[in-house]
Amino acid sequence: MIKNPIPSFTAFSILFLFTFNFALAQQIFSTNKYPITDFRQPLDITPPALAGSFGEIRGNHFHSGIDFRTNQREGYPVYAVADGYISRLRVQNSGFGQALYINHPNSYTTVYGHLQRFAPKIATVVKNLEYEKKSFEIDEFPDATLIPVHKGEVIAWSGNRGSSGGPHLHFEIRDTKTEETINPQFFGIIIPDNIPPVIHGLYAYRLNGKTFNEFTPKQAIAISGANGSYKTTAPISLTGEVGFGIVVTDRHNGLSGTNGVYSIQLEVDGKKVYTSALERFAFEDSKAINSHIDYPTYLNTKRSIQKSFVEPGNPLKIYSGLVNSGRINFNDGVSHQLRYIVTDSKGNSSVLPFTVNAGSAPIAVPVGASGIIYPYNKVNEFNADDVILVFPMGTLYSDLNFSYKKLPKPASNAWSAMHQIHNRYTPLHVGFDLWIKADNLPENLRSKALIANSNGSSQGGTFDNGYIKTTPKNFGSFYITTDTIAPRIVPINIGEGKNMAGLSKMTFKISDNLSGIKSFNGYIDGKWVLMEFDAKTATLWHSFDERTSTGKHSFELVVADMKENTRRYNITFFR
């Protein structure tokens, strides 16, 4: 982990004294020092307010930055937070939509996502690249001399592009060398906050030497309290090996969303047994959020219980002070004093003390369901008559009691039986390799075949020596089907012979029935033109520019899916 130079004592002391009432002791569990005077705010909206905090629990990932609210509208100027140069230009159908990355001399990179539009000098470079590559989606890394920027320079305007759920600015600070993302509030990005986190729930898991899974007995423990002070309503009696979990959220002053917390610490009789602190993380580890939380409960209820015990295959580096991985033995027949301390990025904390009366009788551990035991730290393989599975090392968070079942073939457009691969309650860190043998699949359909899950959602796939092979990201039930249907094109504001002189763009809706959209290309008078796409609304459009003169023009739109089924739309129009 790179340590950056510590600011001079005088500058650091003055700033610390000035911001103490706001920032408190932010780096509670961190020995790293970050520059806190280099960066300005990326927006001029005051007071700043967040719709999402760093490390907040999202579906399948930790939130990698902070989301600045923009008063539910687009078009606010976005500023370079410090001198540097545009190091990455990214345009996506989903994800960040339109995003900029700036490398700074202090060895950090800032990221700005969901942008409505780029500043003119940047927009020109982006558009030229799109025409050069004949692609709306680009991911380019310009030379350091191409687009220099200065602190306070307008680089873009805030928007709602990509997978955004509403207008806002997504902002990140990353370590340029390692690409780890870091909590921006460590860098002097001030969000007024004197509100402690809220503790909503406490749970005890009876582990007793077993791997955590959907069958682990769980006990909800009643709590009460507010404003940073909480308690259980009665002492708790527990026997054997136990792990705890907690439900927490945070808010800041003013207009605040329900955000995540910075750190969770658990003590037993005054000694730390578990600490998690969301200071920084690597993107390749982010999916381990599904190991960090009680994943089966999240799937069933959407309630995010953060476990205070760590599975052996969890790669996250957010944990410290672990004793027995957070698993606690209550078998000495005496009372123990436990305490949770939950802290936000500004140092506001909430405390939940509780008493556990330990038992002393031996625990009868129930025998689990029979299956195949796959160790988390090895490559595991499974072979049956018409299915092959390979789980690479790093797929599992804990040892797995694996189960498989062959089910009847689905009623229509199915070219194999349904294969139940374990169950959806066990999260995976990376995908696994799956081969399913095709059942009398005609040769002319081999290129159209794919693997779908029981919900009919495509998992992709290619034909390989009688099998269809793919890499699902989750366990479930899978079968072979085919996609022979071309995507759908619906014109919104254009039609044959229409005069488009008073319109700035032509607009379409596009969709696909199964394998998903692979490509879209538009041609005016036989020449490729830029078509822009917003995946969340399935909207495709072309904005007219100087390339389209007045008069009569031909237009062709070609949309293909992942199985190369292609739809064409041809018209003439006037400008």
Side-chain angles (χ1 to χ4, degrees):
M1 188 172 290
I2 295 175
K3 292 188 177 182
N4 295 280
I6 301 173
S8 69
F9 177 78
T10 303
F12 179 84
S13 300
I14 292 172
L15 186 66
F16 178 80
L17 289 172
F18 180 75
T19 61
F20 180 81
N21 287 332
F22 299 99
L24 298 176
Q26 292 189 36
Q27 299 179 34
I28 298 166
F29 303 111
S30 174
T31 59
N32 295 293
K33 302 298 181 183
Y34 300 102
I36 59 175
T37 60
D38 289 7
F39 297 137
R40 57 154 287 162
Q41 302 281 120
L43 296 170
D44 274 344
I45 300 174
T46 55
L50 299 183
S53 62
F54 181 84
E56 181 174 290
I57 294 174
R58 301 286 178 90
N60 283 325
H61 68 282
F62 289 101
H63 189 225
S64 58
I66 55 179
D67 288 343
F68 284 95
R69 288 178 176 269
T70 57
N71 297 323
Q72 299 182 338
R73 60 188 181 90
E74 302 181 35
Y76 283 95
V78 177
Y79 300 95
V81 298
D83 290 352
Y85 66 92
I86 303 295
S87 58
R88 189 177 185 183
L89 299 164
R90 194 166 192 190
V91 179
Q92 302 169 273
N93 294 333
S94 54
F96 285 161
Q98 297 192 132
L100 291 174
Y101 297 65
I102 301 177
N103 281 11
H104 303 283
N106 61 6
S107 300
Y108 293 100
T109 298
T110 52
V111 183
Y112 313 75
H114 306 304
L115 303 171
Q116 180 195 63
R117 66 189 193 279
F118 301 121
K121 72 177 184 181
I122 301 171
T124 298
V125 173
V126 169
K127 196 168 188 179
N128 288 341
L129 284 167
E130 290 174 321
Y131 271 87
E132 175 187 330
K133 296 179 177 298
K134 292 183 169 55
S135 174
F136 166 59
E137 289 195 300
I138 61 168
D139 190 8
E140 297 294 315
F141 299 82
D143 184 86
T145 61
L146 183 62
I147 316 176
V149 295
H150 300 287
K151 187 174 186 175
E153 179 181 345
V154 175
I155 54 172
W157 284 265
S158 66
N160 188 30
R161 298 288 288 268
S163 300
S164 170
H168 72 277
L169 174 68
H170 176 90
F171 177 74
E172 295 179 14
I173 299 180
R174 300 183 184 181
D175 183 312
T176 302
K177 184 176 181 180
T178 68
E179 296 189 10
E180 289 180 308
T181 185
I182 310 168
N183 192 331
Q185 289 183 259
F186 284 173
F187 293 82
I189 302 297
I190 300 299
I191 307 298
D193 183 3
N194 60 8
I195 302 172
V198 178
I199 301 177
H200 301 276
L202 174 65
Y203 294 84
Y205 295 86
R206 299 176 188 273
L207 300 169
N208 294 319
K210 293 286 189 178
T211 296
F212 169 80
N213 57 36
E214 69 273 20
F215 302 114
T216 301
K218 178 173 82 247
Q219 175 184 347
I221 300 168
I223 64 171
S224 62
N227 301 319
S229 180
Y230 296 83
K231 62 181 180 180
T232 54
T233 56
I236 309 154
S237 295
L238 295 169
T239 302
E241 186 186 64
V242 174
F244 290 95
I246 191 169
V247 181
V248 291
T249 60
D250 188 48
R251 299 180 68 87
H252 57 75
N253 296 9
L255 187 63
S256 171
T258 301
N259 301 323
V261 302
Y262 166 57
S263 69
I264 298 173
Q265 180 175 296
L266 178 61
E267 300 173 350
V268 178
D269 297 327
K271 297 179 180 179
K272 298 175 187 177
V273 297
Y274 170 92
T275 298
S276 64
L278 282 157
E279 174 188 345
R280 59 197 291 161
F281 62 84
F283 285 93
E284 62 265 27
D285 294 340
S286 188
K287 196 181 178 184
I289 192 171
N290 294 328
S291 174
H292 178 75
I293 65 172
D294 177 345
Y295 186 68
T297 294
Y298 178 77
L299 287 186
N300 285 330
T301 69
K302 297 303 178 185
R303 189 170 178 82
S304 296
I305 305 172
Q306 299 191 53
K307 300 181 321 201
S308 300
F309 53 97
V310 182
E311 294 181 277
N314 182 338
L316 286 166
K317 309 282 192 303
I318 65 173
Y319 307 109
S320 64
L322 296 179
V323 176
N324 194 33
S325 299
R327 292 170 173 245
I328 306 164
N329 285 295
F330 294 110
N331 52 17
D332 56 7
V334 301
S335 294
H336 297 274
Q337 303 305 311
L338 283 78
R339 185 171 70 147
Y340 266 111
I341 305 171
V342 182
T343 311
D344 66 19
S345 294
K346 286 299 188 67
N348 303 301
S349 63
S350 292
V351 179
L352 169 59
F354 57 103
T355 299
V356 172
N357 296 324
S360 57
I363 296 295
V365 179
V367 177
S370 61
I372 305 170
I373 302 301
Y374 285 149
Y376 77 93
N377 56 354
K378 292 184 179 180
V379 176
N380 298 287
E381 298 184 14
F382 175 85
N383 286 270
D385 290 339
D386 46 10
V387 65
I388 302 170
L389 309 171
V390 176
F391 307 116
M393 188 162 14
T395 300
L396 303 173
Y397 298 116
S398 290
D399 292 350
L400 176 67
N401 188 12
F402 177 74
S403 64
Y404 162 79
K405 186 182 296 184
K406 185 175 180 179
L407 303 173
K409 179 185 291 189
S412 62
N413 193 25
W415 300 93
S416 75
M418 181 79 77
H419 298 273
Q420 182 179 311
I421 313 300
H422 201 64
N423 66 61
R424 69 190 187 103
Y425 294 114
T426 298
L428 305 176
H429 193 62
V430 295
F432 64 97
D433 295 327
L434 167 64
W435 288 262
I436 297 178
K437 190 173 184 178
D439 181 9
N440 298 317
L441 180 68
E443 185 173 352
N444 66 309
L445 290 180
R446 290 176 180 176
S447 65
K448 305 297 182 182
L450 54 83
I451 292 176
N453 65 16
S454 55
N455 294 324
S457 176
S458 172
Q459 307 296 299
T462 56
F463 184 83
D464 181 7
N465 195 29
Y467 288 78
I468 305 299
K469 178 190 176 183
T470 193
T471 306
K473 297 182 184 302
N474 300 291
F475 285 139
S477 297
F478 306 96
Y479 69 103
I480 296 173
T481 187
T482 56
D483 182 0
T484 59
I485 300 173
R488 187 170 181 234
I489 299 174
V490 179
I492 301 301
N493 68 342
I494 190 170
E496 175 60 38
K498 184 171 181 178
N499 190 334
M500 303 290 288
L503 299 173
S504 63
K505 60 185 177 181
M506 62 174 79
T507 306
F508 304 84
K509 294 281 189 179
I510 61 173
S511 59
D512 187 64
N513 70 310
L514 182 55
S515 61
I517 299 293
K518 179 181 179 181
S519 65
F520 46 83
N521 289 282
Y523 304 88
I524 294 179
D525 301 328
K527 295 182 179 180
W528 188 91
V529 294
L530 177 64
M531 305 296 300
E532 301 181 68
F533 185 57
D534 181 34
K536 67 175 176 286
T537 61
T539 303
L540 181 73
W541 69 94
H542 168 69
S543 297
F544 296 114
D545 58 18
E546 70 282 353
R547 292 173 176 82
T548 305
S549 60
T550 58
K552 183 180 180 180
H553 298 280
S554 65
F555 174 71
E556 181 179 37
L557 176 61
V558 183
V559 182
D561 67 16
M562 294 294 182
K563 288 298 170 181
E564 301 298 341
N565 301 299
T566 301
R567 182 80 65 189
R568 296 176 182 272
Y569 175 83
N570 291 275
I571 59 164
T572 58
F573 71 94
F574 295 85
R575 281 282 288 165

